[in-house]
Amino acid sequence: MDPAGTTFVFCDSLLLVKAGGLEPAGAAALAELQKSRATLDDFTVRPQGCRAVGLSGAATDAPANCEWARLRTLLGAESPAAVTASRALGMLNWRAAHRFCGACGGPLEEHPTEVARTCAACGRVEYPTLAAAIIVRIEKDGKILLARHAQRIPDLWTCLAGYVELGESPEDCVRREVKEEAGLEVADVRYAGSQFWPFPNQLMLGFKAAWKAGDLRLQPEELAEARWFDPADLPAIPPKGAMAYRLIHGPM
Ligand SMILES: [Zn+2]
């Protein structure tokens, strides 16, 4: 797939694709949708050169021979468009949240050469931001710790996760989050891969760690339930394409 010739059409974080496949639907379908919907943003994703368009409303009706797809479906299927579509959605999210200068409130304009926006009033340059987050697989006696979150997708069991705070290394963040959310101490914290996650802008840093001390003591506002699972007997976990899936199914 040539990203330069591709138009990514998003509505409510869903991508318009050709029916029965995961290929971006493109410009003709966009024109059809624009007859009845407002265009929230329309820009070129650099350096890939593809076009990204955000539309208003809910992703309920799709033009003929098209459908709305979740990005995690493209990631899970290892679609050739998945990585560029993630970048396009991440840029769309960032642009929607950064229309005005954070210092003086003036309107932001396109930077002439960089992937950034500049303030016409004070000259400040705003670059796309990433929120660094850790996600960790914790092992104890051949079992792995999985939890159901209190707020997000409470019917799925997944790894513990949290945002990296200012002044903190990702490894320190793993130790702090596990202590805060589950009451455990961990050792042997090892980096295990990463993934950009455009909901809205997380850089997910995957880790593995070993239980060191403590009994499960959950932070109720974060976790509804946590248990140690045998890798051969897992509950409902996040689908293929998510960092948690890779961590849970990776080797010990
Ligand atoms: Zn300004």
Side-chain angles (χ1 to χ4, degrees):
M1 192 201 75
D2 175 18
T6 306
T7 299
F8 292 99
V9 181
F10 291 99
C11 181
D12 206 14
S13 293
L14 298 179
L15 176 67
L16 191 68
V17 297
K18 293 176 182 170
L22 294 172
E23 197 183 331
L30 170 64
E32 186 62 32
L33 282 170
Q34 282 175 318
K35 289 178 186 170
S36 60
R37 288 163 186 263
T39 301
L40 301 176
D41 201 356
D42 186 342
F43 63 101
T44 301
V45 180
R46 290 185 285 177
Q48 289 81 4
C50 56
R51 182 182 177 195
V53 180
L55 297 177
S56 67
T60 47
D61 54 332
N65 303 317
C66 297
E67 58 193 0
W68 295 102
R70 292 155 68 89
L71 211 48
R72 63 187 69 206
T73 306
L74 274 75
L75 290 163
E78 295 176 347
S79 157
V83 171
T84 310
S86 292
R87 175 164 169 75
L89 179 58
M91 290 297 298
L92 196 66
N93 291 338
W94 174 72
R95 291 166 62 94
H98 293 83
R99 294 162 52 222
F100 299 96
C101 174
C104 79
L108 296 179
E109 300 174 344
E110 299 300 309
H111 193 287
T113 55
E114 295 187 61
V115 180
R117 291 181 140 180
T118 55
C119 176
C122 76
R124 179 184 165 96
V125 181
E126 301 264 8
Y127 292 93
T129 45
L130 285 170
I134 64 89
I135 179 164
V136 57
R137 165 181 161 148
I138 305 163
E139 301 158 9
K140 180 189 181 190
D141 300 331
K143 295 190 171 181
I144 58 179
L145 183 68
L146 298 177
R148 290 193 303 111
H149 283 89
Q151 311 291 338
R152 296 175 285 118
I153 331 178
D155 53 340
L156 279 189
W157 293 80
T158 189
C159 300
L160 300 192
Y163 286 104
V164 181
E165 294 189 352
L166 289 180
E168 179 176 67
S169 73
E171 290 82 358
D172 287 342
C173 179
V174 168
R175 289 183 276 267
R176 177 183 55 75
E177 283 285 347
V178 175
K179 183 77 180 166
E180 284 178 2
E181 292 194 357
L184 303 178
E185 287 180 43
V186 289
D188 195 19
V189 176
R190 289 159 289 147
Y191 176 72
S194 64
Q195 180 182 41
F196 175 62
W197 196 241
F199 304 101
N201 67 340
Q202 290 98 321
L203 179 62
M204 300 301 300
L205 304 166
F207 285 88
K208 294 181 181 177
W211 173 88
K212 181 180 166 190
D215 295 320
L216 284 172
R217 196 181 63 252
L218 305 187
Q219 196 176 18
E221 59 273 27
E222 293 287 339
L223 301 182
E225 193 177 2
R227 276 192 238 159
W228 298 98
F229 286 93
D230 189 316
D233 187 18
L234 292 171
I237 64 166
K240 198 176 172 193
M243 190 71 212
Y245 181 96
R246 278 161 60 188
L247 284 174
I248 292 167
H249 282 288
M252 282 283 194

